[in-house]
Amino acid sequence: MDLVQLTTHIDATAVRAAIGTPDAYVTRESRDIVDQQVRERASVAALLILFDGGRHEEHELHDGGTLRIGRSITADIPLEDPMISRKHAVIERHGSTIRVLDDRSLNGVFVNGARIDGSQTLGDADEVQIAGFVMRLILPS
């Protein structure tokens, strides 16, 4: 598998000061700040940024790669929440096309606020929401 997981932490205090809110990561503005920082480093791989409380994780997605998301310990992106199925969703990349697939989850997958039916193609800066977790896609420049 041609998948590399990178974890990056940023100074949550600086983000809170810039945004002026104690829960900086739950706002679109704070996600935009991280988006801008990550976008400057994006090269060949697409990056999926997972926002989780006061931190974020970056997951690279290369051509032919797959990211499995769910409560399972074997998931590429394991998420702990009772609203999330063990095998909740899959994000796959084939060339320049990136799709998210709902893996028959009970509570669904949302893209930019709308529940998807089966699968949906993703574009730059699209946000995938699973339960309380938000992931933003950054395409290489």
Side-chain angles (χ1 to χ4, degrees):
M1 184 180 334
D2 196 33
L3 173 69
V4 178
Q5 177 179 340
L6 299 174
T7 304
T8 305
H9 299 279
I10 66 170
D11 184 358
T13 306
V15 173
R16 284 188 192 101
I19 301 302
T21 176
D23 298 315
Y25 278 90
V26 298
T27 67
R28 180 170 268 300
E29 292 83 10
S30 63
R31 293 193 301 265
D32 289 343
I33 290 172
V34 174
D35 178 308
Q36 191 172 40
Q37 293 172 348
V38 170
R39 192 172 296 280
E40 293 170 1
R41 296 191 319 270
S43 58
V44 177
L47 293 173
L48 187 70
I49 308 170
L50 167 66
F51 295 94
D52 179 13
R55 65 185 185 94
H56 75 275
E57 296 176 6
E58 299 169 20
H59 299 270
E60 286 189 8
L61 185 59
H62 294 275
D63 189 16
T66 300
L67 291 171
R68 299 192 182 286
I69 304 167
R71 272 192 358 254
S72 171
I73 60 171
T74 61
D76 298 307
I77 304 176
L79 302 176
E80 288 298 322
D81 187 312
M83 300 294 291
I84 297 174
S85 301
R86 283 184 183 84
K87 295 180 179 180
H88 200 99
V90 175
I91 297 179
E92 59 185 20
R93 178 179 178 191
H94 297 287
S96 62
T97 303
I98 300 174
R99 296 181 341 142
V100 60
L101 297 89
D102 187 332
D103 199 6
R104 299 180 306 259
S105 69
L106 181 62
N107 294 310
V109 175
F110 296 79
V111 174
N112 299 326
R115 187 173 183 156
I116 67 168
D117 184 25
S119 69
Q120 182 169 325
T121 301
L122 298 174
D124 188 47
D126 277 350
E127 291 191 342
V128 176
Q129 183 174 357
I130 297 175
F133 295 90
V134 176
M135 292 160 271
R136 182 180 287 182
L137 179 67
I138 305 298
L139 295 178
S141 48

